[in-house]
mmCIF file of all heavy atoms in Angstrom:
data_model
loop_
_atom_site.group_PDB
_atom_site.id
_atom_site.type_symbol
_atom_site.label_atom_id
_atom_site.label_comp_id
_atom_site.label_asym_id
_atom_site.label_seq_id
_atom_site.Cartn_x
_atom_site.Cartn_y
_atom_site.Cartn_z
ATOM 1 N N VAL A 19 100.902 80.031 153.225
ATOM 2 C CA VAL A 19 102.018 80.127 152.281
ATOM 3 C C VAL A 19 102.377 78.746 151.748
ATOM 4 O O VAL A 19 102.606 78.573 150.543
ATOM 5 C CB VAL A 19 103.243 80.789 152.945
ATOM 6 C CG1 VAL A 19 104.486 80.632 152.102
ATOM 7 C CG2 VAL A 19 102.969 82.260 153.204
ATOM 8 N N LEU A 20 102.416 77.745 152.605
ATOM 9 C CA LEU A 20 102.725 76.386 152.159
ATOM 10 C C LEU A 20 101.676 75.864 151.174
ATOM 11 O O LEU A 20 102.010 75.249 150.163
ATOM 12 C CB LEU A 20 102.842 75.443 153.361
ATOM 13 C CG LEU A 20 104.032 75.682 154.286
ATOM 14 C CD1 LEU A 20 103.990 74.709 155.455
ATOM 15 C CD2 LEU A 20 105.334 75.560 153.534
ATOM 16 N N ILE A 21 100.411 76.135 151.456
ATOM 17 C CA ILE A 21 99.344 75.722 150.545
ATOM 18 C C ILE A 21 99.481 76.449 149.214
ATOM 19 O O ILE A 21 99.329 75.854 148.146
ATOM 20 C CB ILE A 21 97.967 75.962 151.188
ATOM 21 C CG1 ILE A 21 97.760 75.011 152.366
ATOM 22 C CG2 ILE A 21 96.839 75.805 150.165
ATOM 23 C CD1 ILE A 21 96.533 75.295 153.197
ATOM 24 N N GLY A 22 99.794 77.737 149.253
ATOM 25 C CA GLY A 22 99.983 78.508 148.025
ATOM 26 C C GLY A 22 101.146 77.999 147.192
ATOM 27 O O GLY A 22 101.068 77.939 145.965
ATOM 28 N N LEU A 23 102.240 77.607 147.832
ATOM 29 C CA LEU A 23 103.383 77.048 147.113
ATOM 30 C C LEU A 23 103.017 75.735 146.432
ATOM 31 O O LEU A 23 103.417 75.476 145.296
ATOM 32 C CB LEU A 23 104.563 76.843 148.061
ATOM 33 C CG LEU A 23 105.277 78.111 148.530
ATOM 34 C CD1 LEU A 23 106.301 77.776 149.608
ATOM 35 C CD2 LEU A 23 105.942 78.795 147.366
ATOM 36 N N GLU A 24 102.242 74.921 147.109
ATOM 37 C CA GLU A 24 101.810 73.652 146.528
ATOM 38 C C GLU A 24 100.909 73.906 145.318
ATOM 39 O O GLU A 24 101.040 73.245 144.283
ATOM 40 C CB GLU A 24 101.077 72.812 147.577
ATOM 41 C CG GLU A 24 100.735 71.422 147.119
ATOM 42 C CD GLU A 24 101.957 70.571 146.836
ATOM 43 O OE1 GLU A 24 103.000 70.764 147.478
ATOM 44 O OE2 GLU A 24 101.864 69.702 145.957
ATOM 45 N N GLN A 25 99.999 74.874 145.427
ATOM 46 C CA GLN A 25 99.119 75.217 144.300
ATOM 47 C C GLN A 25 99.938 75.744 143.123
ATOM 48 O O GLN A 25 99.651 75.427 141.967
ATOM 49 C CB GLN A 25 98.080 76.253 144.727
ATOM 50 C CG GLN A 25 97.042 75.734 145.686
ATOM 51 C CD GLN A 25 96.121 74.742 145.012
ATOM 52 O OE1 GLN A 25 95.761 74.901 143.862
ATOM 53 N NE2 GLN A 25 95.754 73.710 145.742
ATOM 54 N N ALA A 26 100.947 76.555 143.406
ATOM 55 C CA ALA A 26 101.799 77.093 142.349
ATOM 56 C C ALA A 26 102.557 75.969 141.652
ATOM 57 O O ALA A 26 102.698 75.976 140.428
ATOM 58 C CB ALA A 26 102.771 78.117 142.916
ATOM 59 N N LYS A 27 103.035 75.004 142.417
ATOM 60 C CA LYS A 27 103.753 73.871 141.836
ATOM 61 C C LYS A 27 102.842 73.086 140.903
ATOM 62 O O LYS A 27 103.241 72.712 139.793
ATOM 63 C CB LYS A 27 104.292 72.967 142.942
ATOM 64 C CG LYS A 27 105.139 71.812 142.438
ATOM 65 C CD LYS A 27 105.763 71.051 143.578
ATOM 66 C CE LYS A 27 104.935 69.824 143.847
ATOM 67 N NZ LYS A 27 105.497 68.947 144.863
ATOM 68 N N GLU A 28 101.607 72.854 141.312
ATOM 69 C CA GLU A 28 100.656 72.136 140.468
ATOM 70 C C GLU A 28 100.331 72.947 139.216
ATOM 71 O O GLU A 28 100.196 72.389 138.124
ATOM 72 C CB GLU A 28 99.369 71.831 141.244
ATOM 73 C CG GLU A 28 99.546 70.826 142.350
ATOM 74 C CD GLU A 28 100.007 69.471 141.847
ATOM 75 O OE1 GLU A 28 99.506 69.014 140.797
ATOM 76 O OE2 GLU A 28 100.879 68.871 142.491
ATOM 77 N N GLY A 29 100.221 74.259 139.353
ATOM 78 C CA GLY A 29 99.950 75.113 138.203
ATOM 79 C C GLY A 29 101.082 75.090 137.195
ATOM 80 O O GLY A 29 100.856 75.063 135.983
ATOM 81 N N ILE A 30 102.309 75.090 137.690
ATOM 82 C CA ILE A 30 103.472 75.027 136.804
ATOM 83 C C ILE A 30 103.497 73.693 136.060
ATOM 84 O O ILE A 30 103.788 73.644 134.861
ATOM 85 C CB ILE A 30 104.775 75.260 137.595
ATOM 86 C CG1 ILE A 30 104.853 76.715 138.048
ATOM 87 C CG2 ILE A 30 105.994 74.896 136.762
ATOM 88 C CD1 ILE A 30 105.983 76.996 138.998
ATOM 89 N N LYS A 31 103.152 72.613 136.745
ATOM 90 C CA LYS A 31 103.090 71.310 136.081
ATOM 91 C C LYS A 31 102.053 71.330 134.969
ATOM 92 O O LYS A 31 102.273 70.787 133.891
ATOM 93 C CB LYS A 31 102.741 70.208 137.082
ATOM 94 C CG LYS A 31 103.895 69.745 137.929
ATOM 95 C CD LYS A 31 103.453 68.595 138.807
ATOM 96 C CE LYS A 31 104.571 68.109 139.681
ATOM 97 N NZ LYS A 31 104.129 66.995 140.541
#
Side-chain angles (χ1 to χ4, degrees):
V19 168
L20 292 178
I21 292 171
L23 288 172
E24 187 64 31
Q25 291 291 322
K27 184 174 99 175
E28 292 299 319
I30 290 171
K31 281 184 181 180

